[in-house]
Amino acid sequence: MAVFITGGARSGKSGFAEAYAAKLSERGIYIATAQAWDEEMKERRAHHRLERERSGYVWQTVEEPLALAELLVFLETEHRSAAGRPAVLVDCMTLWLTNWMLRTDQAAEGQESNASAELEAEIGKLLAAVTAYSGPLLLVTNEVGSGIVPAYPLGRRFRDEAGRLNRKLAALCSEAYLVVAGIPLDLKKHAFAFEVD
């Protein structure tokens, strides 16, 4: 069962995801996709890890900024037949996307078509891994399309790629939530559906 959770910065989406994971399983695997490029980010990651440890819920934290698809395939194989499978929480998809965009852009050195093709291949691998994952899987992402249009090309490209990734993931997941001001809204329950003739 895959669950898509989106919202703005500090909306409460990660807290909701952690609470939901605790309802789905007695233990969890927290996949952190952030990379610590500076001291502030290192402190932030350490603070979040400490908060998870103090929550009373058993979390195993795995830091994986890039090989998320491969990790999900491994966890599916590792836990497929296990009783009491852990809830797997990925936080967050937009940081994973950022990591890949920066990596592919640097590797392609100005050849946008190569960078786009490599990014598309990684997204395809991720979508296949999410589709194949049979245990409780919670995917946290940022809603980035509600703000102003970024003033620079990479920002606009990120916004577009994040929007496309979020749509694809939400379509694959059996549940989708938008968290606003700490309140989770069930998107699939309230989704408009065209009548079929």
Side-chain angles (χ1 to χ4, degrees):
M1 173 186 99
V3 179
F4 177 84
I5 301 167
T6 190
R10 294 287 164 260
S11 63
K13 60 190 179 294
S14 294
F16 170 68
E18 291 171 20
Y20 197 175
K23 297 286 185 193
L24 296 174
S25 180
E26 293 182 3
R27 61 193 174 98
I29 298 173
Y30 196 102
I31 302 174
T33 61
Q35 296 187 75
W37 298 109
D38 56 36
E39 284 305 313
E40 186 271 339
M41 193 60 171
K42 287 177 186 173
E43 289 174 12
R44 183 181 291 249
R45 284 188 350 178
H47 173 73
H48 287 307
R49 185 185 289 249
L50 186 59
E51 281 186 338
R52 286 193 301 275
E53 290 171 0
R54 290 179 177 164
S55 72
Y57 185 68
V58 179
W59 285 109
Q60 174 192 351
T61 300
V62 178
E63 294 179 3
E64 184 46 68
L66 294 165
L68 182 55
E70 294 82 355
L71 179 55
L72 290 176
V73 169
F74 170 78
L75 292 173
E76 172 65 16
T77 304
E78 182 85 1
H79 298 287
R80 182 182 302 137
S81 59
R85 288 181 70 159
V88 174
L89 191 161
V90 179
D91 197 354
C92 85
M93 300 310 306
T94 42
L95 282 174
W96 174 85
L97 178 66
T98 299
N99 297 338
W100 271 108
M101 286 183 68
L102 293 174
R103 181 177 176 149
T104 56
D105 283 359
Q106 289 170 354
E109 291 185 28
Q111 299 173 5
E112 189 174 319
S113 61
N114 289 351
S116 294
E118 188 177 351
L119 180 63
E120 208 48 48
E122 287 303 323
I123 290 171
K125 286 182 356 187
L126 175 68
L127 295 173
V130 168
T131 301
Y133 199 84
S134 61
L137 175 63
L138 299 97
L139 304 170
V140 176
T141 189
N142 289 291
E143 185 55 49
V144 298
S146 299
I148 61 171
V149 175
Y152 50 96
L154 181 60
R156 290 189 295 274
R157 185 169 161 243
F158 168 74
R159 180 204 56 187
D160 293 347
E161 293 289 355
R164 283 191 282 270
L165 176 62
N166 285 348
R167 284 198 326 258
K168 291 173 184 175
L169 288 171
L172 289 177
C173 292
S174 57
E175 298 177 25
Y177 298 94
L178 170 65
V179 182
V180 180
I183 301 169
L185 306 171
D186 188 332
L187 295 175
K188 296 219 176 189
K189 182 177 179 182
H190 297 287
F192 174 81
F194 286 101
E195 291 182 22
V196 178
D197 293 331

